[in-house]
Amino acid sequence: MKIKVILGSLLILAAIVFGSISFMESNIEYGDFQTAISSNKKIQVKGEWVREMESDFDANSGKFTFYMKDDNGEVLRVIFDGAKPNNFELATSVVAKGKYENDCFHASEILTKCPSKYEGDTEAIKKSL
Amino acid sequence: MLGQALVLFAFISSLISGVSYYLNHKRGDIVNLNVARYSYHAAVISVMGFCSFLIYLILTHQFQYTYVWNYSSTDLPTPLLISTFYAGQEGSFSLWALYTAIIGVVLMGYASRRNYESSVMFVWNWILAFLLLMLIVKNPFENIWEAFPKEIIQTGPIPPTVTNFLWLDEVKGIWAQIPQEGRSLNPLLQNYWMVIHPQILFSGFTAMAIPFVFAIAGLLKRDYQGWVRIAKPWSVFAATALGTGIILGGYWAYETLGWGGYWGWDPVENSSLIPWLVCIGLIHTMMSQARSGAFVKTNFVLSILAYMLVLYSTFLTRSGVLGETSVHSFVDPGMYAYWLLLSVIFLFGGTGFYLLLSRMKEMPNVKIEHSIYSREFALFLGAYAICLSALFIVIGTSAPIITQILQGKSSAVDTSFYVKTTLPIGIAVSFLAGFGQLLWWKNSNKNKIIQGLILPLILSVLFTVVMVLIGVTEIQVLLFLFTAGFALFVNLIIGFQIFKGDPKYSGGALSHIGLAFLFLGFVSSEGFDRMETVSLERGKPLQVFSDYQLTYVGMKNVDAERYGFMVDVEHGKEKFTVMPVMHYSNYTQNVLRHPDVKNMYTKDFYIAPMSLEESDGKQESTISLLKGETKNLQGIQVKFIDYDFSNMDKTKMLEGGGFSIGAMLEIRSGEKVEQLMPLMKNDGGQVNYIPVKSTFADIELKINKLQPNREDPTKSRVELSFVLPNGNSQSVKLETLVVEASIKPLINLVWVGTITLLVGFIITIVRRSQETRLKSQV
């Protein structure tokens, strides 16, 4: 019985340690472009798509490039490994997860925050009358 | 009025039933039992009533109801129209309540035959009442003028042009205009999966309550052993239903939504996986208890936890707390619903754990003598590992909440977290799924274990060697393949022996075979998939993955809005056509992309459309030039000298006035040289690109993109588009289809594995329920 109790406690302890380490490692914090440039870590940057500047999907490399302004107003070129995300035009804000490399922010994932379906409702209801 | 009255009536009936059942449980009064049964049935009938009423409103397009207006429209085909019943929050809670009401009727009979009716149905009624309370707070029958009083309610005479109106108060002259068309169903949901998937998932969610209810009933009745045997087949049923729902969702995402894979560790996916995992763990410890009376407390804890996690998942995905950090946009259900969900978690969990703690002392401390080489111990370790993976996934999914509390700002975890944490657990689980099958209850004969180990071990070593030869190098992945192979071989051998004896008992082995297949499928399809993004010019074959040839042959209308893009694929002697689909949706104001999958025995060829680029037929091409760089365009040299910012007045710019940026170019053809400057002109936000023509060479140049680099001007770049002479203009439109092609090796293992796993469950349900029937008759 004793062996089992010890073994059990060890297992639980190991799980807690292992879990917390993995959590710390995988936790992608929010930051701005400045932290991205200085930290060289994968972070997520929240900002806005700068519509006036060029954005383009390069069919050969399969990369979508656009300019993004973070919450501090800094603008950086973002290269996203994939096609233009769904809802990109509608997005009120954009969250890019990635790393800063060679003058650009290389995003592996982009989340678009769209106005909730309910926000535009008054317009929608007027239209459907 | 009618709808909400039925909800209210159902709620009250369910409360009466719950109270009567409780009194009956306490005092055993037969009169109360009848009251309880009648009022439960009354609740069921009114739940069925308001659900049918809601479906009726949807089918008859009664847009004066906000819910109907919000999710349906007149142009949806009937199956989809019916599915809008559960497209929104209010409706999905209605579906949940409907299933709860109906399953309760079955449960009532089942529990009654096992002398568990009053305690089980008492708790069941509270669950039903909670769901109905949710529907009182979030009313699916809200009138549209309640949601939009400003826009809809009007007073005074009705203009003769308005025919779609309803009097709210004719004496005072108050009336409301009724929408003529609804907002329809999100096009992403407009496919047959929407008809099947939520139905099965919610039946699973409903069934997950059953182990919880039996556990509480067991505590109330102070029957710490008997409840497990009765609840066991239901737990397997819950795992089957929820498991089917999860995998259908995965297949939906894979085949129709074009997420590229069947699993993305998204909160919505995780939220049903978490309770499922706990339920799987629970089934294992329940088996132990039914056999030898062990794990009395563990089973109570897991049963309570499993249902709390169902509620917690609902909270995570419905309350909007993940809003900022997930791909899904979660709609905030409002304050009341938020707090109601949260308090119900605490209420149910609190009641469960309070009862457990207060009864803990009187629980029989069954003296169990089993060694480390016993099936009980292996089952315990397995259940522990499975629940641990559930815990990690809970933590990962709740990361935004955890970091919000700890750091004051929320952040999510990378999906690598889930892989990192669940892979070692997967190794342990698959090892135990094999090793545990070789063990006997209480204690095993060591020689027998070794005998049973030899063949599977040899086979899985061989299998792993083959994997190394194929090129798998990662230690953890190899270990995972080894243990998954081990689980497969052990269970195949043992399963075959059991099957020869009595097929009824082969459920367990079959489930483990399915699990092994599933694990192997994860590695092959996710770990060894190949993916490439390619641009296919119409009619021009292109080589992909070195041995596939793709040709985009043209598009055709699938229906009014959808376009299919036909791509011929050639691979050796194999030839087939795939047709991914894109359409512009007014609803989301976006292009929706649906992939196409060519399913083969050994792999899937998966093709997702990304965009269709069209050029106007002129031979327009682009070049990109670095500052100072010269490029040769059919004998014409073009050099990019520098940008010209002289017409960029900062103050003017800030006032929103016009400005222009030029790109100074040097054109050289033979002896002749000239400087040209195409412009980018911005007139208060309106951007125009002004082309220039060379005076001596037949070329027109236009700025395509400005890429100035302020920090390092030598890295400044410009992209120009140019039209060369002799372009066979007018004629053909050039189309280029951009697609993402991928090959997923042995993905069929995932589907076969899941089906095998679930069939194993079903065999187990049948046998276990037969068992309880036999025993209760004795």
Side-chain angles (χ1 to χ4, degrees), chain B residues 84-111:
Chain B
T84 63
F85 167 52
Y86 42 79
Q89 298 242 8
E90 298 88 338
S92 62
F93 271 107
S94 304
L95 181 70
W96 195 351
L98 178 67
Y99 279 143
T100 306
I102 293 170
I103 288 181
V105 177
V106 183
L107 198 63
M108 183 191 282
Y110 180 87

Side-chain angles (χ1 to χ4, degrees), chain A residues 14-27:
Chain A
I16 293 172
V17 172
F18 172 66
S20 340
I21 292 174
S22 307
F23 187 81
M24 304 286 213
E25 276 178 4
S26 321
N27 189 18

Side-chain angles (χ1 to χ4, degrees), chain B residues 135-297:
Chain B
L135 291 171
I136 292 172
V137 173
K138 282 208 59 108
N139 178 6
F141 299 101
E142 185 191 41
N143 288 311
I144 196 134
W145 53 85
E146 288 163 337
F148 305 98
K150 269 190 215 149
E151 287 77 18
I152 300 247
I153 297 179
Q154 315 210 28
T155 43
I158 300 166
T161 48
V162 177
T163 50
N164 51 323
F165 66 90
L166 202 88
W167 283 109
L168 297 181
D169 190 333
E170 198 157 357
V171 182
K172 288 181 187 157
I174 301 172
W175 54 281
Q177 211 175 338
I178 293 165
Q180 285 169 322
E181 184 54 274
R183 300 190 66 194
S184 195
L185 185 62
N186 187 334
L188 272 176
L189 305 177
Q190 289 190 23
N191 51 59
Y192 51 96
W193 292 111
M194 179 63 186
V195 183
I196 312 161
H197 166 70
Q199 303 256 18
I200 294 176
L201 199 75
F202 274 102
S203 69
F205 260 37
T206 307
M208 285 298 298
I210 301 175
F212 169 78
V213 169
F214 273 110
I216 303 289
L219 286 169
L220 286 171
K221 284 173 72 91
R222 297 184 149 78
D223 172 18
Y224 306 119
Q225 295 285 3
W227 73 276
V228 166
R229 201 164 45 79
I230 308 172
K232 209 167 43 178
W234 282 100
S235 311
V236 186
F237 167 70
T240 314
L242 197 58
T244 312
I246 292 170
I247 202 67
L248 285 181
Y251 197 71
W252 182 5
Y254 176 70
E255 187 228 53
T256 309
L257 300 180
W259 291 5
Y262 43 83
W263 201 257
W265 298 109
D266 190 83
V268 171
E269 295 173 319
N270 290 351
S271 73
S272 35
L273 178 67
I274 295 162
W276 186 77
L277 285 171
V278 175
C279 186
I280 297 293
L282 173 68
I283 291 169
H284 285 89
T285 50
M286 274 182 158
M287 272 169 47
S288 262
Q289 186 176 350
R291 186 79 194 196
S292 55
F295 305 128
V296 177
K297 285 155 210 157

Side-chain angles (χ1 to χ4, degrees), chain B residues 303-350:
Chain B
S303 303
I304 298 166
L305 268 184
Y307 196 57
M308 278 182 76
L309 285 169
V310 167
L311 296 172
Y312 180 65
S313 306
T314 310
F315 170 73
L316 274 185
T317 48
R318 306 286 190 103
S319 68
V321 287
L322 298 179
E324 283 285 324
T325 46
S326 167
V327 187
H328 284 77
S329 51
F330 297 105
V331 177
D332 194 336
M335 281 307 274
Y336 288 119
Y338 180 95
W339 289 109
L340 183 62
L341 272 169
L342 211 55
S343 42
V344 163
I345 298 174
F346 285 110
L347 179 70
F348 286 180

